[in-house]
Amino acid sequence: MRIVLDESKCSSLGMCESVAPAFFEVGDDGALAVLQPEAAEDQRALLEEAVAACPTAALRLEP
Amino acid sequence: MTTTAPASRAERPYDSADLSSNAFWSTTAAERERVFAELRRERPVSWHRPVENGLFEDPNDQGFWAVVRHADLVEVTKRHDDFVSGEGIVFESMPQELLDAGQGFIAMDPPRHTKVRRLLSSAFTPKQMARTDERIKANARRIVDDIAGKSEIDFVAEVSALLPMHNICDMVGIPDEHRRTVAHESQYAGGWRDEDLMQGADPLTRLMESTGTMRAIAAELIAARRAQPQDDLLTALVQAEVDGARLTDEEITSFFGLLMVAGNDTTRQSTSHGMKALTDFPDQRAWLLEDPDARMAGAIEEIVRWATPIMTFRRTAARDCELGGRQVTAGDKVIMFYASANWDTDVFDAPERFDLSRSPNPHVSFGGGGIHHCLGNQLARRQLAALFRELLTRLPDAHVVGEPVLGTGNFFHGINRMTVRFTPEQA
């Protein structure tokens, strides 16, 4: 599964980072980095929670 | 649920519950909760007459929708295209000059909000906050050092007001000589209804005066940072570019004002309400102190829910749409009631119980998770944890004496003065 970030929507709130800090990090420049774009299937529940936590719908999982 | 015909604002009948009078906002949270409970149960989205005694007469202000349920509040927060912030974020209509001066990016909408917010986020990221933690702990220590030799204090002036003042001023880069002025003046933006604070002054005149004082300090500091950059948030704002353009001094001044209000007056209230609750519920305090390392983080969530330092925020409907089965018209004011959402029994078991072990605790004191979600939420949590750890371990018998002097108004859930007594620390 792949984590896809739409940078035009992201406002760097860090809500995803607070749910899944191993996968997301808002850097010192205020830009969100997806630390591991490819994730194992056993991480799906956690990542779905992180995606749902985003108020600007900037994240999605594929497939 | 019935859907009302899209009557014009002026014709829409008002709900029988009173959320608009000064009397309602001068009573206690427990009294207000009686009204909210009825609305949550029976009329979760309801239309009300304009709030009494607004800042100035606005002939177009015909009332507001009250959103009182947790789920509806979260929905309004997340529908930021339907419910916008750019027309103001408080109950009252405001002169544009004040809107521009004091509300910064909290009263902006996408796409500009997204860019500006991202700029400021860099100072408040979880990792940046972890780096700031030593400083936050040192500030908590400094505050307790200064009171430890006494036996009775006004907790608000000597603890609650100082904790956020030092921390936000450290981050923004405000030198000591301006801190007390800035922290004091920042109170008027949300506290102009408070009789105790206002001392008879005309609200609009005093607000303008406070805005002027803040602008002058901001202007001085902006010029200083342009001449000589430092490692602080003000320098970051001075150097930042959005859409290829530098921020104007006006914009930076406006962000400065927002950071001071949002940074000072929120954690101040949570600290005071936390101290009061820890006095009123000694069993909870004892439970926390059995294992503060493991229990503090959860305890802070409950303190912040209990305090609900900001009681209301406003959005304005950008288009005709539906909300909770009611037909909302473009231009309608929509007010979210955070204390009500934090007491919603659909989400919280026994919300009237101060339960430091509450889990999960999806309170909305930092917002409902939308694009305006509290930028400083990590800062607030760390400050409160540092302060209560320092205070409760060094002054274990500290307790509130008598009743706190509550603030009045519909924005901050304020405590103006509160006596706390303790056995002085042995030097």
Side-chain angles (χ1 to χ4, degrees), chain B residues 62-181:
Chain B
Q62 280 127 355
F64 62 89
W65 293 102
V67 176
V68 291
R69 278 188 186 165
H70 189 280
D72 291 332
L73 186 148
V74 169
E75 183 179 330
V76 169
T77 305
K78 294 197 171 176
R79 285 169 60 184
H80 56 257
D81 291 329
D82 287 339
F83 303 112
V84 298
S85 297
E87 296 185 39
I89 51 149
V90 296
F91 254 110
E92 297 84 0
S93 302
M94 287 252 172
Q96 192 62 39
E97 185 183 348
L98 279 178
L99 272 183
D100 293 345
Q103 300 194 1
F105 57 96
I106 201 173
M108 271 183 193
D109 294 305
R112 185 149 181 93
H113 173 266
T114 312
K115 291 166 182 160
V116 170
R117 168 93 189 203
R118 198 179 294 164
L119 200 68
L120 286 150
S121 293
S122 58
F124 292 90
T125 61
K127 290 205 170 50
Q128 191 63 40
M129 282 293 110
R131 279 177 219 143
T132 315
D133 207 38
E134 281 314 309
R135 191 72 192 253
I136 293 171
K137 287 177 177 159
N139 281 332
R141 233 172 0 252
R142 164 182 179 183
I143 288 163
V144 177
D145 285 346
D146 286 346
I147 61 165
K150 308 178 182 180
S151 58
E152 182 177 305
I153 57 167
D154 173 17
F155 190 79
V156 177
E158 298 196 48
V159 178
S160 307
L162 300 185
L163 173 75
M165 180 190 84
H166 285 307
N167 287 318
I168 193 71
C169 289
D170 278 350
M171 288 182 68
V172 175
I174 299 171
D176 267 331
E177 76 244 38
H178 289 314
R179 290 188 176 189
R180 281 172 198 269
T181 308

Side-chain angles (χ1 to χ4, degrees), chain B residues 133-401:
Chain B
D133 207 38
E134 281 314 309
R135 191 72 192 253
I136 293 171
K137 287 177 177 159
N139 281 332
R141 233 172 0 252
R142 164 182 179 183
I143 288 163
V144 177
D145 285 346
D146 286 346
I147 61 165
K150 308 178 182 180
S151 58
E152 182 177 305
I153 57 167
D154 173 17
F155 190 79
V156 177
E158 298 196 48
V159 178
S160 307
L162 300 185
L163 173 75
M165 180 190 84
H166 285 307
N167 287 318
I168 193 71
C169 289
D170 278 350
M171 288 182 68
V172 175
I174 299 171
D176 267 331
E177 76 244 38
H178 289 314
R179 290 188 176 189
R180 281 172 198 269
T181 308
V182 161
H184 180 76
E185 292 299 318
S186 76
Q187 293 181 92
Y188 293 95
W192 55 267
R193 279 179 180 279
D194 193 87
E195 292 163 16
D196 201 36
L197 176 69
M198 295 308 292
Q199 298 290 317
D202 169 61
L204 199 53
T205 310
R206 189 63 188 82
L207 255 179
M208 291 295 187
E209 191 184 314
S210 123
T211 304
T213 306
M214 298 286 266
R215 291 176 96 86
I217 292 174
E220 177 194 322
L221 295 176
I222 289 166
R225 291 307 183 281
R226 284 202 202 287
Q228 195 171 6
Q230 306 280 333
D231 182 17
D232 57 32
L233 194 46
L234 208 49
T235 303
L237 287 172
V238 162
Q239 295 176 340
E241 289 189 4
V242 175
D243 293 333
R246 288 282 170 93
L247 299 172
T248 65
D249 283 10
E250 280 295 300
E251 286 176 304
I252 298 173
T253 302
S254 159
F255 300 158
F256 178 89
L258 171 62
L259 286 164
M260 288 308 110
V261 175
N264 274 302
D265 295 290
T266 48
T267 303
R268 178 201 317 238
Q269 315 306 349
S270 294
T271 307
S272 301
H273 285 289
M275 188 66 222
K276 178 75 167 85
L278 289 164
T279 299
D280 291 346
F281 302 92
D283 59 318
Q284 291 298 306
R285 178 182 184 144
W287 178 84
L288 172 61
L289 286 174
E290 278 167 26
D291 190 358
D293 283 339
R295 295 175 180 176
M296 188 60 83
I300 295 305
E301 296 308 305
E302 180 68 349
I303 286 172
V304 173
R305 181 188 75 89
W306 191 258
T308 315
I310 292 178
M311 299 187 288
T312 59
F313 265 128
R314 192 232 302 187
R315 299 289 187 268
T316 305
R319 52 176 84 119
D320 295 354
C321 60
E322 200 184 288
L323 176 65
R326 302 297 301 263
Q327 189 61 44
V328 173
T329 325
D332 287 356
K333 288 180 174 180
V334 177
I335 312 279
M336 295 176 282
F337 290 81
Y338 293 84
S340 178
N342 278 339
W343 256 247
D344 188 340
T345 49
D346 284 351
V347 178
F348 301 98
D349 290 330
E352 72 288 353
R353 211 167 56 219
F354 180 66
D355 176 6
L356 296 178
S357 69
R358 188 180 293 281
S359 177
N361 193 342
H363 66 77
V364 290
S365 295
F366 294 122
I371 59 171
H372 296 284
H373 199 76
C374 176
L375 180 65
N377 72 83
Q378 301 285 334
L379 172 64
R381 288 171 160 123
R382 285 176 187 274
Q383 294 186 73
L384 291 164
L387 189 270
F388 281 114
R389 161 173 285 273
E390 194 76 16
L391 188 79
L392 298 177
T393 53
R394 286 176 61 184
L395 305 172
D397 66 351
H399 62 283
V400 175
V401 181

